[in-house]
Amino acid sequence: MRLPRLPALPSRDLEREELRRLVDELARQAGRWRAAATAEAGERHFISLYRDDHLDLWLIAWTELGDTGWHDHDISSGAVRVLEGTLEESSPRLGGAPVTRVIPDGSSFAFGPDHIHRLAGLAERSLSLHAYSPPLWRLGQYSVDAEGVMRRVSVSYAEELRPLEAPLTAG
C-alpha cells in the first residue's frame, strides 16, 4: 500500500482543527491509497495508515450495514473526512432522540476527547479518513440496558467497534 505523503507535523499532539486540516489535505492524495480499502457485505474494514507519538491515521471502508456503536476516543481528539459515499453521525441526547447529521462525500468534521458518537455507513460503499491525536490506545464503548442505564466498556484501539445494543431512542 502506498501511504499518503504527510505534511511537516509539529512534535506535539495536534488540536482538533489541525487534525481537520490534515485530513482535508490528505484527502487530495486519496488516489495513492484509496484502492487499499475494501468492504465486504455487512462489514466495516479499517486500515492503520500511520502512527507515531502524536498522530494516528486510519482509512475505513464502510457498507450501509457498518455501525460503530456508541463510543468515545478516551483522551484523543479526532477528525474525519468522507472520501466517498456518505456517513451518518449521531450524538446521544438525554431524554430525547439522538442528534443525527449526514456527512456527505467531501465533508469533514473534528471533535475533542469529550465527544461521544456513533458512525454508520449510509451508502453501499463509503470511505473515510480518520486522524487522532494523541494516538488512540483505549476507546470507550457504551451500552444502555433495559432500565435506561448507560455503561462504558473500555476497549483497545485495535478492536473492531460494533454496537453493544440497539440504537438509543427517545424515552
Side-chain angles (χ1 to χ4, degrees):
M1 172 176 43
R2 294 170 47 207
L3 298 179
R5 186 180 64 255
L6 294 177
L9 297 170
S11 296
R12 60 171 172 74
D13 292 344
L14 282 73
E15 300 294 325
R16 63 192 218 177
E17 285 307 314
E18 292 175 301
L19 291 168
R20 184 177 188 163
R21 287 191 299 271
L22 177 63
V23 295
D24 287 343
E25 182 175 337
L26 293 176
R28 292 189 286 275
Q29 302 178 40
R32 296 182 65 194
W33 40 269
R34 182 183 307 243
T38 59
E40 296 178 14
E43 294 186 9
R44 188 171 55 93
H45 181 73
F46 54 98
I47 300 167
S48 176
L49 294 175
Y50 178 83
R51 187 176 180 93
D52 68 17
D53 291 341
H54 301 286
L55 179 66
D56 202 5
L57 291 174
W58 294 84
L59 184 65
I60 301 179
W62 306 76
T63 69
E64 66 275 4
L65 300 176
D67 183 346
T68 63
W70 299 105
H71 67 281
D72 65 41
H73 300 90
D74 200 37
I75 63 170
S76 300
S77 291
V80 176
R81 170 71 181 241
V82 178
L83 302 169
E84 177 182 311
T86 306
L87 298 181
E88 178 180 77
E89 183 195 32
S90 298
S91 298
R93 180 180 9 199
L94 294 178
V99 175
T100 301
R101 65 183 175 144
V102 173
I103 316 296
D105 181 3
S107 297
S108 62
F109 66 96
F111 50 88
D114 59 342
H115 190 63
I116 299 170
H117 69 171
R118 102 187 283 151
L119 291 173
L122 292 182
E124 184 177 324
R125 175 181 161 83
S126 297
L127 190 61
S128 56
L129 180 64
H130 301 244
Y132 303 102
S133 187
L136 295 175
W137 285 106
R138 305 293 303 167
L139 295 99
Q141 279 206 272
Y142 295 84
S143 65
V144 179
D145 67 20
E147 287 78 40
V149 176
M150 181 179 272
R151 307 241 185 255
R152 181 181 191 271
V153 176
S154 184
V155 297
S156 164
Y157 75 95
E159 291 181 51
E160 174 78 16
L161 290 178
R162 299 231 185 253
L164 297 179
E165 87 313 315
L168 293 177
T169 57

